[in-house]
Amino acid sequence: QVQLVESGGGLVQAGESLRLSCVASGGTFSRLAMAWFRQAPGKEREFVATISWSAGTKDYADSVKGRFTITRDNAKSTVHLQMNSLKPDDTAVYYCAASGGYWVKVEAGYDYWGQGTQVTVSS
């Protein structure tokens, strides 16, 4: 059973940056595809970014391309989401997810989820 713990959320102003982290335990991290999703108030959870086992492939939602960067450190069983040029529309709870399969953009492709970390961007 893989457990995921996110950290790094907070309150920032528009244009500022945040770096989210997710530490995994209980599994072989280098064999897990990892992703970030987010859920804004009153909206469904949506895909943000995903990264393959060896970080050779990354993919992003159109809304965050050029502003967010997903990385992973397999030695530390950690995945990061660097978020730059934040906008009020980025306000959401951000969730880390792990898959024993491929790096996909849909929730159903992920087997394990963290509890989420709140990101609030003020205008």
Side-chain angles (χ1 to χ4, degrees):
Q1 186 77 1
V2 175
Q3 295 183 329
L4 304 172
V5 179
E6 303 99 332
S7 62
L11 171 64
V12 297
Q13 292 187 335
E16 294 185 340
S17 299
L18 275 176
R19 189 192 194 207
L20 305 183
S21 298
C22 171
V23 179
S25 60
T28 304
F29 186 74
S30 61
R31 297 180 182 177
L32 296 172
M34 302 297 296
W36 290 93
F37 287 75
R38 68 185 181 185
Q39 187 168 21
K43 296 185 178 181
E44 294 188 353
R45 190 153 56 183
E46 65 177 4
F47 166 78
V48 175
T50 187
I51 188 167
S52 61
W53 311 303
S54 62
T57 301
K58 304 176 183 180
D59 204 355
Y60 299 91
D62 288 343
S63 59
V64 306
K65 279 181 181 176
R67 299 188 298 122
F68 291 12
T69 303
I70 187 170
T71 58
R72 67 187 295 159
D73 183 340
N74 285 349
K76 297 182 178 179
S77 298
T78 302
V79 62
H80 300 286
L81 185 68
Q82 178 67 42
M83 305 186 295
N84 297 330
S85 302
L86 283 161
K87 305 175 181 179
D89 284 348
D90 294 319
T91 295
V93 177
Y94 283 71
Y95 297 91
C96 176
S99 169
Y102 289 93
W103 43 100
V104 295
K105 298 182 179 182
V106 295
E107 290 187 56
Y110 292 88
D111 309 297
Y112 308 101
W113 293 84
Q115 294 297 311
T117 185
Q118 177 70 47
V119 172
T120 303
V121 185
S122 64
S123 57

